[in-house]
Amino acid sequence: MEYANCPIRITLDIIAGSWKLWLIQEINNGIVRPSDIQRSIGIASKRVLNKQLRELEEVGIITKTIYPVIPLKVEYHLTDAGKGLLPIMEAMEQWGKEYKNTFLELRSKNKIIQK
């Protein structure tokens, strides 16, 4: 299979990024305004969050609505494609819960998966 046609690779290319899955989750939870998103993910820089929001918008995972009011009001919403990622994220969360202690143990022993 060619790299460009690999469905798993395409999915990984779309969700790869330190905050993309968290952004999708927050938008799904109703946190849709940029300032609220930035407060919610306070450990990430505003620049990085804006970049990843723009990337998610470019690939059709989220839409950005700009309301012509003063002050300017911006909101993000999941597209159908974005909503399609939610079951994948739930499966990843379940897997992480199941194997979390094993990996924490291995990390402490072998110093793997550290940031």
Side-chain angles (χ1 to χ4, degrees):
M1 180 179 294
E2 288 184 39
Y3 173 86
N5 291 325
C6 176
I8 292 173
R9 183 73 250 168
I10 291 166
T11 304
L12 288 174
D13 285 348
I14 290 169
I15 64 172
S18 300
W19 310 107
K20 286 182 180 175
L21 292 177
W22 197 348
L23 287 165
I24 292 166
Q25 186 65 44
E26 292 302 283
I27 293 168
N28 184 57
N29 289 337
I31 300 173
V32 297
R33 301 206 53 208
S35 59
D36 295 334
I37 291 170
Q38 289 161 3
R39 268 192 296 281
S40 176
I41 310 175
I43 59 174
S45 75
K46 180 179 179 179
R47 183 184 65 78
V48 170
L49 290 178
N50 286 336
K51 179 180 184 287
Q52 291 191 2
L53 284 165
R54 187 172 50 256
E55 290 170 359
L56 288 170
E57 184 182 9
E58 288 170 357
V59 295
I61 300 301
I62 62 174
T63 59
K64 178 181 180 180
T65 304
I66 302 172
Y67 297 94
V69 296
I70 298 175
L72 193 64
K73 180 180 174 184
V74 175
E75 290 183 350
Y76 292 98
H77 299 279
L78 294 179
T79 63
D80 288 342
K83 291 174 187 172
L85 286 170
L86 297 175
I88 296 167
M89 293 169 57
E90 289 171 17
M92 291 172 69
E93 181 178 17
Q94 185 59 42
W95 187 88
K97 285 178 182 176
E98 187 173 336
Y99 292 102
K100 175 184 169 186
N101 290 335
T102 301
F103 284 107
L104 290 175
E105 222 175 276
L106 288 170
R107 183 170 63 185
S108 68
K109 285 182 188 176
N110 303 320
K111 304 207 185 303
I112 63 167
I113 312 174
Q114 294 214 6
K115 286 214 168 210

